[in-house]
Amino acid sequence: MQTLFTNISSLVTVNSNGSIKIFGKEMSDIGEIKDGALLFDDKIIWTGTSIEAEQSLISGKFIPDKIINLKEKTVIPGFVDSHTHIVFAGDRSNEFAKRLRGATYQEIASEGGGILATVNAVRKASIEELVENGYNIAMSAIRHGTTAMEIKSGYGLDLKNEIKMLEAIKKLKEILPITIKSTFLGAHDFPPEYKDKRDKYVDLICNKMLPAVAEQKLADYCDAFVDKGYYTVEQGERIFKTALDLGLKLKLHADELADVSAASLAARMDAFSADHLLFISDKGIGDMKQSGTIATLLPGTAYFIRMPYPPARKMLEQGLAVALATDCNPGSCFTENMQIILSLAVINMKMTAEEAITAATLNGAAALELSDRMGSLEPGKEANFIVCDTSSYTDIFYHFGVNHVSEVWVKGDKLITNY
Ligand code: NIG
Ligand code: FE
């Protein structure tokens, strides 16, 4: 079934012209068509102006089954949230309250809270509970405009519970109406039983966990938290070499709490993305430029744990491909709303609206190797887009803190209508 949208006040195509990711300056060109029109079935067939669409209707070139007058709304590609931890159990609002009274994220972690608090809850939870929690957050993300998403394990920290988490993600791949990619993050923290023998836990990851995950095809990527107080560069490198040998591709939590040269590790190991990067050094930026590694920025985390924002302007000026994602998790950033992330990116990281949109769509898709089939509105790509109740894309940033998404379309089907 073919549908034609007409009278789109602002149609943002994020035209990639066939590029799988977009670097630095080029991120400013989002291919906006004013008074636009869009023809699609499950894929995008054509984009242009309403006048061109009118002519094609008259000449019989377009014979859509349905014509919808969008009445001056904005259409942009659906957001691709390439970094989340939405499968979890338990509640850490008590930690948040402590942080509001002055405790830092690291202080809470060193008292046995933080990631390990969620590990305790996940170990006790059933797979059904994990699926239900993840499903509810993912559906809320979709209502806020997300049309593809990555989900990480990392709150099991032993073979049985990491597999349980990945099986929950596998189930979510089946039941959610959007594309999901899964990431094994057994190296998220050290479990309490390996507190004083960290290298032995790295042995367990390399000798038992990664081979099981690869054999059961439970993950698309392997990630590790290489940072001060967590995994060292050497431990990260060992894990990554094993993962690569087993056919898994790499992502990395890099330089979030301090500069430990994790960005350079990501570049050296050809990771698809290095994420966070609050404390990235100039050398790290240079190495990522050389390798073309995507810099996935998560400004919600800097906001939520009151840390300095990553140097987005410097990265863009140096020509990196920047992506934006939520990092949605119960400790360091509890939001599944990509619109909030865009607002933080433009106000606090000084990205332009155009750069932020490219980062949250095409480059997010690239960070999950999906940009050949989504992330922009170009003929042949999946018809994944959102209709916003605004007359220009700038209003998504200008009128902040509300949900502008009135409709979410995935593969040409309307999934959500928000009233
Ligand atoms: O991306 N950096 C490590 N992991 C998460 C935090 C997870 C948590 O606190 O539960 C992050 O910030
Ligand atoms: Fe994260």
Side-chain angles (χ1 to χ4, degrees):
M1 175 162 126
Q2 286 192 4
T3 306
L4 177 69
F5 280 1
T6 59
N7 286 326
I8 306 169
S9 174
S10 170
L11 171 62
V12 175
T13 62
V14 189
N15 58 330
S16 65
N17 297 318
S19 307
I20 53 161
K21 52 188 158 185
I22 304 189
F23 294 90
K25 272 199 207 72
E26 309 292 319
M27 289 175 63
S28 299
D29 174 14
I30 55 170
E32 186 195 24
I33 304 173
K34 290 217 164 83
D35 193 10
L38 175 65
L39 182 69
F40 60 94
D41 47 21
D42 58 330
K43 301 224 166 81
I44 305 292
I45 299 170
W46 172 90
T47 58
T49 63
S50 288
I51 293 172
E52 287 164 346
E54 190 63 34
Q55 285 160 355
S56 295
L57 284 170
I58 293 167
S59 71
K61 193 170 151 213
F62 289 173
I63 316 171
D65 301 282
K66 208 170 175 184
I67 302 177
I68 300 176
N69 183 337
L70 263 235
K71 296 199 189 88
E72 297 294 302
K73 292 185 179 179
T74 291
V75 173
I76 69 172
F79 301 124
V80 179
D81 189 352
S82 61
H83 181 139
T84 86
H85 309 251
I86 62 161
V87 166
F88 63 85
D91 176 6
R92 279 159 64 193
S93 55
N94 58 332
E95 286 182 9
F96 178 64
K98 272 193 200 163
R99 289 202 293 108
L100 296 185
R101 291 193 292 269
T104 65
Y105 180 77
Q106 285 100 317
E107 279 161 8
I108 287 167
S110 66
E111 287 161 11
I115 294 171
L116 293 183
T118 305
V119 170
N120 275 332
V122 164
R123 286 180 174 183
K124 287 186 199 124
S126 67
I127 188 161
E128 291 76 21
E129 230 174 285
L130 295 178
V131 171
E132 190 184 336
N133 280 348
Y135 182 83
N136 290 337
I137 298 177
M139 288 309 293
S140 169
I142 295 170
R143 285 194 293 278
H144 289 89
T146 295
T147 56
M149 187 186 248
E150 181 252 23
I151 310 175
K152 299 176 196 292
S153 71
Y155 291 123
L157 306 189
D158 62 23
L159 180 63
K160 183 172 119 209
N161 287 291
E162 283 296 310
I163 297 281
K164 180 172 81 183
M165 285 196 74
L166 291 170
E167 275 171 351
I169 300 170
K170 186 175 171 201
K171 183 77 191 164
L172 289 171
K173 285 189 182 191
E174 288 160 23
I175 63 177
L176 282 166
I178 60 170
T179 299
I180 302 289
K181 291 265 184 155
S182 62
T183 299
F184 169 67
L185 179 56
H188 195 189
D189 199 345
F190 294 91
E193 51 291 8
Y194 284 88
K195 197 167 139 250
D196 302 314
K197 38 178 187 175
R198 292 183 158 199
D199 280 328
K200 289 266 176 281
Y201 182 61
V202 177
D203 291 344
L204 182 73
I205 291 177
C206 294
N207 300 337
K208 291 256 159 46
M209 293 163 96
L210 272 169
V213 169
E215 201 208 2
Q216 295 175 54
K217 296 200 176 8
L218 281 171
D220 301 297
Y221 300 97
C222 172
D223 190 346
F225 188 14
V226 174
D227 219 314
K228 189 170 167 211
Y230 291 84
Y231 290 77
T232 62
V233 167
E234 293 69 32
Q235 288 167 333
E237 191 159 346
R238 245 190 91 194
I239 292 166
F240 280 174
K241 280 193 174 138
T242 310
L244 284 174
D245 284 346
L246 289 163
L248 285 165
K249 295 166 187 170
L250 310 178
K251 288 185 162 289
L252 181 57
H253 277 71
D255 303 330
E256 176 182 357
L257 305 172
D259 171 30
V260 295
S261 301
S264 301
L265 171 69
R268 187 162 78 242
M269 304 288 293
D270 259 332
F272 262 88
S273 67
D275 302 21
H276 285 289
L277 306 170
L278 276 58
F279 293 94
I280 190 172
S281 64
D282 288 349
K283 170 154 189 339
I285 294 179
D287 290 347
M288 284 180 64
K289 184 182 158 85
Q290 283 286 314
S291 62
T293 310
I294 294 173
T296 300
L297 306 185
L298 310 156
T301 310
Y303 167 78
F304 202 67
I305 61 173
R306 296 184 173 135
M307 298 280 268
Y309 286 81
R313 281 263 49 94
K314 205 188 233 181
M315 294 180 190
L316 288 160
E317 273 144 29
Q318 295 292 316
L320 296 196
V322 170
L324 285 167
T326 60
D327 195 23
C328 183
N329 74 77
S332 69
C333 184
F334 196 15
T335 185
E336 63 276 27
N337 180 355
M338 281 292 282
Q339 293 165 76
I340 297 279
I341 302 304
L342 293 184
S343 289
L344 292 172
V346 297
I347 299 294
N348 289 336
M349 298 199 301
K350 301 188 170 63
M351 289 174 72
T352 64
E354 293 78 16
E355 288 164 345
I357 287 176
T358 304
T361 56
L362 193 94
N363 280 358
L368 299 179
E369 298 169 275
L370 292 171
S371 58
D372 57 333
R373 61 181 175 101
M374 60 179 80
S376 61
L377 304 183
E378 295 172 289
K381 286 204 177 175
E382 286 177 13
N384 299 352
F385 50 81
I386 57 185
V387 178
C388 293
D389 228 340
T390 62
S391 60
S392 96
Y393 66 83
T394 319
D395 287 350
I396 302 171
F397 303 84
Y398 174 48
H399 184 185
F400 68 96
V402 295
N403 188 7
H404 288 290
V405 173
S406 62
E407 293 172 14
V408 181
W409 293 70
V410 171
K411 289 191 188 163
D413 284 331
K414 185 154 68 163
L415 285 187
I416 304 277
T417 308
N418 286 326
Y419 294 104

